[in-house]
Amino acid sequence: MTDAPNRLTIRRPDDWHVHLRDGAVLAGVAKHTAHQFARAIVMPNLSPPVTTVEAAAAYRNRIVAAAGPGFTPLMTAYLTDTIAADEIARGFAEGVFTAAKLYPAHATTGSAHGVTDVANIRPVLERMEKIGMPLLIHGEVTDAHVDIFDREAVFIERTLSGLVRDLPGLKVVFEHITTADAVAFVESAGPNVAATITPQHLHINRNAMFTGGIRPHMYCLPVAKREVHRLALRKAATSGSAKFFLGTDSAPHAVGAKEAACGCAGIFNAPYALESYLAVFEEEGAIDKFEGFASEHGPRFYGLPLNEGTVTLERSGTQVPDMIDANGTPIVPFHAGEELVWRYLG
Ligand code: DOR
Ligand code: ZN
């Protein structure tokens, strides 16, 4: 890593958690991810969800066509109560599925077909453990009696700790962690457990959703928590620990779907993701830890090669627009209207 005061060059990074959608919006958003990242783990919560090898292969082709050359989408299978272990294993063996995603049913956008009880997919998980296929987890309970700000911590207690104990050989990525509880869990677990951290959970706490009124563009799931949790996430991300790596959870929704009586969850951060993360690392005095988080810890956990090539950022500022036109769909990006300190040069 060359670390001149006003310029930073790092190995080309990857995004280990992104929503690229489909159709016209895919063409409008995939190019932003491909501009900054060599590879991305693509979430399968389309409508209908990506539950077969054929559907994932076809979706991968559409992404490649939309993103252009030089970008590799890494596909995921959407786990349902009834999905067959053979289908998951076949997709992994054929190099179509890189991982499988566990959405507890009704936890978030596009999770209606998710898993109602992890006991239902036990044979699938055992098979994944055996073949070394990573399980990516949206870690929130869906019990309406549990306070929404506690759903991640309760998921650790009720589901995740037992799963990790019973299947110690299973590679688990605890996705988009939002709490000090999750940080502590991941740190105390064995080497098969890691976590992604989004830029928004490093920048905002739950107050951001209510500054002077309701702020739908600050709403995502899991929802941002108290400041103490944000600080724990910043410490984990910038610690240099190989258990934590970059996953934007960029989740675009049309402005009208966010600014509504029942606004969708999701923050579109793909266009300025690296600038956003790097601001945090600089504020924490940890620019030297950025390359590991962005470009090394993820591929090592997944058992994939590190990227060749580099990207460079310079401290000359980026003005984030109020709105981005995603091939005809207007979307408000994370940091809309703000000036970020760093500029991505490519
Ligand atoms: O905020 C979110 N948006 N969280 C998720 O888990 C799903 C995502 C989406 O697909 O919009
Ligand atoms: Zn997501």
Side-chain angles (χ1 to χ4, degrees), residues 17-19 43 45 101 103 138 176 221 249-251:
H17 185 132
V18 71
H19 299 266
M43 289 297 134
N45 62 333
K101 178 73 186 279
Y103 286 105
H138 184 111
H176 42 52
L221 287 171
D249 198 18
S250 182

Side-chain angles (χ1 to χ4, degrees), residues 295-327:
S295 315
E296 296 171 355
H297 303 165
R300 287 202 182 115
F301 184 81
Y302 274 83
L304 294 170
L306 304 189
N307 294 317
E308 299 297 325
T310 59
V311 298
T312 298
L313 293 103
E314 111 188 333
R315 205 192 268 97
S316 59
T318 297
Q319 182 62 45
V320 179
D322 293 333
M323 195 78 78
I324 286 181
D325 174 4
N327 195 26

